[in-house]
């Protein structure tokens, strides 16, 4: 039996996906990847020829999802980082740059959202 057979389907046999978003002002993920391999950049849709020398990726997820636009603005003003991905529909922000610049940007985003906007924020993780 294939795993696909166990997933919920609608009446016409199509895969059914249910996505829930709990309303609230929150940062649910703030993670810094130091020294990622080029394959990580490729899988994220980033160009490793441009981004790999930068040596760090910052990933943040937040709600409401439009907050990602504000976070992207803060990121590029706080550090010399590249906006790899900003999605105002899912609330995801991916930035790349030198590790110190990515760290500064992620820390400022979390600080601003927590202290100035009153968001519930997770701790920043790093690997």
């Amino acid at each position: 039996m294939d795993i696909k057979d166990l997933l919920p389907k609608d009446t016409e046999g199509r895969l059914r996906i249910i996505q829930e978003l709990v309303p609230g002002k929150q940062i649910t993920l703030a993670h810094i990847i130091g020294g990622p391999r080029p394959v990580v950049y490729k899988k994220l849709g980033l160009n490793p020829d441009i981004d790999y020398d930068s040596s760090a990726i910052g990933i943040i997820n937040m709600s409401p999802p439009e907050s990602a636009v504000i976070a992207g603005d803060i990121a590029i003003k706080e550090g010399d980082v590249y906006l790899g991905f900003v999605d105002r529909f899912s609330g995801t922000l991916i930035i790349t740059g030198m590790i110190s610049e990515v760290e500064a940007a992620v820390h400022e985003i979390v600080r601003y959202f927590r202290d100035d906007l009153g968001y519930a924020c997770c701790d920043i993780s790093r690997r």
Side-chain angles (χ1 to χ4, degrees):
M1 179 177 251
D2 190 359
I3 188 72
K4 292 179 186 175
D5 297 329
L6 300 173
L7 297 174
K9 307 259 189 318
D10 68 8
T11 56
E12 296 177 12
R14 295 176 297 201
L15 180 62
R16 221 175 114 218
I17 298 174
I18 299 171
Q19 182 176 357
E20 283 188 51
L21 179 64
V22 177
K25 300 185 321 181
Q26 59 188 344
I27 292 180
T28 56
L29 174 70
H31 185 75
I32 299 166
I33 302 170
R37 302 286 186 248
V39 68
V40 176
Y41 289 94
K42 289 179 185 176
K43 294 293 183 180
L44 290 173
L46 303 171
N47 183 348
D49 295 333
I50 296 171
D51 300 319
Y52 184 62
D53 290 336
S54 299
S55 75
I57 299 173
I59 303 170
I60 300 176
N61 190 266
M62 56 192 56
S63 66
E66 299 85 0
S67 303
V69 176
I70 298 166
D73 180 61
I74 292 168
I76 61 173
K77 289 177 179 173
E78 182 62 28
D80 185 18
V81 297
Y82 171 75
L83 294 179
F85 182 73
V86 181
D87 189 350
R88 62 190 169 106
F89 300 107
S90 71
T92 301
L93 170 69
I94 298 175
I95 59 174
T96 62
M98 298 292 286
I99 187 74
S100 60
E101 300 290 331
V102 170
E103 282 183 339
V106 170
H107 280 279
E108 179 56 19
I109 290 166
V110 171
R111 188 214 59 77
Y112 178 77
F113 277 83
R114 182 190 59 233
D115 299 346
D116 295 358
L117 298 181
Y119 279 48
C121 296
C122 66
D123 292 332
I124 298 169
S125 56
R126 180 178 173 185
R127 176 104 182 163

